[in-house]
Amino acid sequence: MEPDNETQTSQFLLLGISGDFRLQPFLFGLFLFMYLVTILGNLLIIFATISDSHLHTPMYLFLSNLSFADICFTSTSIPKMLVNIQTQSKVITYEGCITQVYFFIVFGVLDNFLLAVMAYDRFVAICHPLQYMVIMNRRLCGYLVLGSWITTALNSLLQTLMALRLSFCTDLEIPHFVCELNQLVLLACSDTFANDMVMYFAAVLLGGGPLAGILYSYAKIVSAIRAISSTEGKYKAFSTCASHLSVVSLFYSTLLGVYLSSSVTQNSHSTARASVLYSVVTPMLNPFIYSLRNKDITGALRRLFRLKL
């Protein structure tokens, strides 16, 4: 496109998940409810792990970081969406959009890394139980958490800085409820080859890498559980990773659903609705999965509220 068709970008329009004005009050109430449940549920997990000495273990350290990441992940998009619905506006400033891009990438990829770290923790606990405390020492746990944060922050910084060099034309409508990097790249008038390459490379390395680690860990876990002779032993071993496996299945199934839906339909609102599954629904359900399927968390929450067992 010719340079004279480019414009100095000051704002974008977030089209949301529906253009029907009559649905806006319902959507406002629904997303406000889900956001509050997400914040409350994940804060309870964090407070329980901090306050209860029984939960000062590697698994719950990683879980509290996952809960914090989920709070931040939803806080990146939902508050702005609620404000836009309430004010009947679709506007987001250029600076606000770039900020959303940065934090949406950080906490989205961080979830992926933390799930992989938690899978490794379960692998060590089941396959090397006698060496668990030696292997999963405080130093290694700290390195795993810190490495996850630093890697995702640097990746997001690189991709956001590259997004700053993009030029945009008159079409500034983003068919989503949040500024996503790929949506910005699609709107750009300037050459996006470098941006596309960095996005694809990051998706393979920072998305496929942790997923491969999760699959490898669970392959070893399944093999170790099958080798246990007693049914009670198998059940006890499986129960230690049941919650994490449920969260992993929910996260990747919803994420896969988004990309499948975007490939089979050209309806922008349909893709945005599908994105709600992994960006809003999954962070909301994670605390419930860990609370309902984990006796340690349930007990810690009861003690937190001073309830008797």
Side-chain angles (χ1 to χ4, degrees):
M1 188 167 290
E2 295 299 324
D4 58 357
N5 286 334
E6 297 180 1
T7 182
Q8 184 66 36
T9 306
S10 61
Q11 63 184 31
F12 293 93
L13 297 178
L14 292 174
L15 301 185
I17 62 175
S18 175
D20 191 342
F21 178 77
R22 295 169 298 179
L23 286 177
Q24 301 310 305
F26 169 75
L27 292 176
F28 180 86
L30 176 63
F31 279 91
L32 177 60
F33 172 76
M34 290 194 294
Y35 180 61
L36 293 177
V37 170
T38 301
I39 298 298
L40 178 60
N42 283 288
L43 280 178
L44 286 176
I45 295 292
I46 294 173
F47 290 151
T49 56
I50 292 175
S51 63
D52 197 312
S53 60
H54 297 87
L55 301 184
H56 293 175
T57 63
M59 180 173 69
Y60 296 110
L61 167 67
F62 303 141
L63 176 59
S64 60
N65 274 269
L66 180 66
S67 293
F68 179 74
D70 282 342
I71 290 174
C72 297
F73 191 38
T74 53
S75 297
T76 300
S77 58
I78 301 304
K80 178 57 179 175
M81 178 187 184
L82 294 175
V83 169
N84 281 5
I85 292 177
Q86 186 65 22
T87 59
Q88 299 181 15
S89 170
K90 299 179 180 180
V91 173
I92 182 171
T93 63
Y94 176 80
E95 294 79 8
C97 189
I98 293 297
T99 302
Q100 271 198 344
V101 167
Y102 176 80
F103 287 108
F104 200 73
I105 295 174
V106 167
F107 296 113
V109 178
L110 182 60
D111 267 10
N112 198 31
F113 268 69
L114 290 174
L115 289 175
V117 169
M118 294 170 75
Y120 175 71
D121 174 77
R122 293 300 84 201
F123 158 73
V124 176
I126 294 175
C127 298
H128 305 283
L130 299 180
Q131 298 176 295
Y132 177 76
M133 295 308 298
V134 176
I135 298 175
M136 300 302 296
N137 55 70
R138 289 188 176 184
R139 177 175 295 183
L140 177 62
C141 293
Y143 285 156
L144 289 173
V145 172
L146 185 61
S148 298
W149 277 93
I150 292 176
T151 302
T152 53
L154 291 178
N155 164 65
S156 184
L157 179 62
L158 171 62
Q159 300 212 47
T160 305
L161 289 176
M162 293 191 65
L164 290 173
R165 54 185 288 274
L166 296 175
S167 299
F168 300 92
C169 302
T170 55
D171 183 13
L172 300 177
E173 294 183 342
I174 299 176
H176 214 298
F177 60 88
V178 62
C179 285
E180 276 194 329
L181 181 60
N182 62 324
Q183 297 291 343
L184 283 186
V185 172
L186 290 174
L187 290 179
C189 295
S190 54
D191 180 41
T192 62
F193 177 79
N195 298 77
D196 290 332
M197 290 299 100
V198 171
M199 280 196 300
Y200 294 145
F201 181 76
V204 172
L205 185 62
L206 304 183
L211 178 58
I214 291 172
L215 294 176
Y216 176 81
S217 295
Y218 273 102
K220 291 294 185 180
I221 289 172
V222 170
S223 178
I225 292 177
R226 290 181 62 185
I228 299 175
S229 56
S230 67
T231 303
E232 183 181 354
K234 289 181 179 180
Y235 175 78
K236 185 177 180 181
F238 178 76
S239 64
T240 63
C241 59
S243 297
H244 177 259
L245 185 59
S246 299
V247 170
V248 167
S249 301
L250 179 63
F251 179 80
Y252 284 103
S253 61
T254 54
L255 193 60
L256 182 61
V258 170
Y259 287 101
L260 288 178
S261 66
S262 62
S263 63
V264 300
T265 180
Q266 299 300 318
N267 190 322
S268 58
H269 287 307
S270 296
T271 302
R273 292 186 198 110
S275 299
V276 172
L277 293 175
Y278 78 88
S279 61
V280 181
V281 175
T282 299
M284 180 184 69
L285 293 180
N286 285 351
F288 292 98
I289 293 174
Y290 272 99
S291 298
L292 295 175
R293 300 181 64 93
N294 192 304
K295 293 181 179 180
D296 292 336
I297 289 291
T298 304
L301 289 174
R302 286 176 177 172
R303 287 188 289 271
L304 183 64
F305 290 103
R306 301 182 183 279
L307 295 177
K308 293 183 179 180
L309 292 174

